[in-house]
Amino acid sequence: MKIWSFRFWIPASLLAALVMLASLCPAVSRADDDLTASTESSAGEATDAWLVTRGLIGHGMIGENSGLNLMTPPSGSEVSETRQTANLTGEVLNQVKSWNETVADHTIHIEITTLSTNQFEVAFWLFPNHRQGCTMYQWTLYDHGRALQSAFWRNDATVLRLAGAADLPHDLYPDSVPWVAFLRVLEAPREGAEGSLYQQITPYSYVGQEVTARGTEQISVPAGTFTALKVTAQIDIATVMPNWPRFVLHVIKPVVPRNTIYFESTPPYRLLKQEGVTFVGGPSVTTELVRFYVVGAPPVVAAVPATSPLNAPAPMFNGLSIIK
């Protein structure tokens, strides 16, 4: 079993949701490093070569001397720093530095997660700019700069056609996703918007989540006070037990836990806050934006007005453009 930071990990939340059903159906298991990719990949050899050169795949990710500061954002990138704490004790569980880069028709979301004094993670997701889903994902855990575990996932329709398995959704994500993925699946970042996020959990199966924008409200985080778009995400129980009667699923749905995510309500739609339980048996946690800044410019520690030159025209957010 991997050591996980506290981004959203679908099988763990799924297990938490289905504890009450343990005697009725088996828990969903995780396919760790051998998770097979699915549906469609539009990343070509040039993109793969760029990722190798950037140090995101290949030997650069598993070298014996991979330091926490070796992967740095390029000049001009906006970097967000978040901190996650346990609600009961106030203990800091992790700190994440994230930013986006662009290659060809894709946006690469990169996260560097500090877990303890000597352990950290490096992960990236390759998102196509003009459709939903994820093209590629890699995660690596380090201790004292030495790679301990790594997982790679590619979305490739030509590779996966397993006999007897149901077709997987076209716009698929891996089992671990950053919070920005929940904003990407909305048809638009506004009140009332809805979408579905599908995550592959085994070579044969996936789990869906129902994502809804509930409205806006003022919230305060260490980075400042913002008008936030409140988004909730709940496991679609019908994708877990597709053969169960609808009336039974309707009874179960109210007890399935939700994650609540707050995004800035105007471009670039920064992640401001997340509340929920992200792994089975774990504590209730809160993730908050601590600060954001542009590399090469003075750090910003207060809220940026809606008219800030940092804001990008809708429907862009942090370099991710979605055309439905």
Side-chain angles (χ1 to χ4, degrees):
M1 178 64 67
K2 293 180 179 177
I3 300 172
W4 287 98
S5 64
F6 297 87
R7 71 177 62 90
F8 192 84
W9 181 37
I10 182 64
S13 289
L14 177 60
L15 287 173
L18 299 180
V19 166
M20 60 169 288
L21 300 173
S23 62
L24 301 177
C25 63
V28 177
S29 62
R30 170 182 168 75
D32 262 346
D33 295 338
D34 61 348
L35 183 66
T36 308
S38 65
T39 65
E40 179 181 341
S41 172
S42 61
E45 293 182 1
T47 300
D48 287 357
W50 185 94
L51 292 168
V52 171
T53 301
R54 186 67 178 91
L56 288 169
I57 60 176
H59 182 73
M61 285 293 289
I62 59 173
E64 289 296 314
N65 297 304
S66 299
L68 181 61
N69 297 318
L70 289 183
M71 179 62 62
T72 57
S75 180
S77 300
E78 180 175 301
V79 177
S80 292
E81 295 184 2
T82 59
R83 178 174 61 225
Q84 191 165 75
T85 58
N87 293 342
L88 184 61
T89 64
E91 176 188 3
V92 176
L93 302 175
N94 68 56
Q95 298 183 74
V96 178
K97 180 169 67 174
S98 63
W99 68 92
N100 294 326
E101 300 184 28
T102 301
V103 55
D105 195 31
H106 285 77
T107 292
I108 302 94
H109 179 78
I110 300 171
E111 291 189 357
I112 312 296
T113 303
T114 302
L115 300 175
S116 68
T117 303
N118 300 313
Q119 288 191 334
F120 65 94
E121 299 173 345
V122 177
F124 80 88
W125 293 260
L126 189 67
F127 294 132
N129 285 340
H130 300 296
R131 65 174 179 83
Q132 292 296 335
C134 182
T135 301
M136 191 185 301
Y137 158 71
Q138 179 157 307
W139 165 90
T140 306
L141 170 69
Y142 298 88
D143 182 78
H144 290 86
R146 181 170 60 94
L148 295 180
Q149 292 181 320
S150 185
F152 179 81
W153 179 93
R154 186 191 291 268
N155 194 344
D156 198 331
T158 62
V159 173
L160 182 60
R161 282 293 181 269
L162 296 179
D167 289 339
L168 294 169
H170 176 74
D171 296 323
L172 195 64
Y173 289 83
D175 62 344
S176 175
V177 294
W179 299 111
V180 69
F182 293 89
L183 189 62
R184 295 187 81 246
V185 301
L186 297 176
E187 67 269 18
R190 61 171 179 262
E191 181 177 358
E194 297 179 342
S196 297
L197 190 150
Y198 301 107
Q199 293 174 263
Q200 186 178 8
I201 56 173
T202 75
Y204 293 90
S205 61
Y206 69 94
V207 168
Q209 291 195 69
E210 298 173 345
V211 184
T212 305
R214 301 289 179 178
T216 59
E217 57 187 78
Q218 291 290 117
I219 68 167
S220 294
V221 293
T225 299
F226 302 82
T227 300
L229 179 68
K230 180 180 179 179
V231 175
T232 61
Q234 184 179 41
I235 292 170
D236 180 2
I237 202 71
T239 63
V240 182
M241 295 173 288
N243 298 322
W244 281 44
R246 289 186 176 273
F247 77 91
V248 175
L249 300 181
H250 182 73
V251 172
I252 295 172
K253 184 174 181 178
V255 302
V256 177
R258 292 178 178 175
N259 267 284
T260 302
I261 314 143
Y262 296 89
F263 295 98
E264 192 172 6
S265 63
T266 56
Y269 305 108
R270 302 176 182 93
L271 170 67
L272 301 176
K273 188 176 183 179
Q274 170 272 327
E275 297 174 321
V277 176
T278 58
F279 69 100
V280 66
S284 176
V285 300
T286 296
T287 304
E288 294 182 302
L289 180 65
V290 175
R291 69 167 183 156
F292 56 91
Y293 58 91
V294 175
V295 177
V300 177
V301 294
V304 177
T307 56
S308 165
L310 290 178
N311 293 338
M316 297 287 291
F317 55 94
N318 276 347
L320 304 184
S321 168
I322 302 300
I323 296 178
K324 293 286 182 177

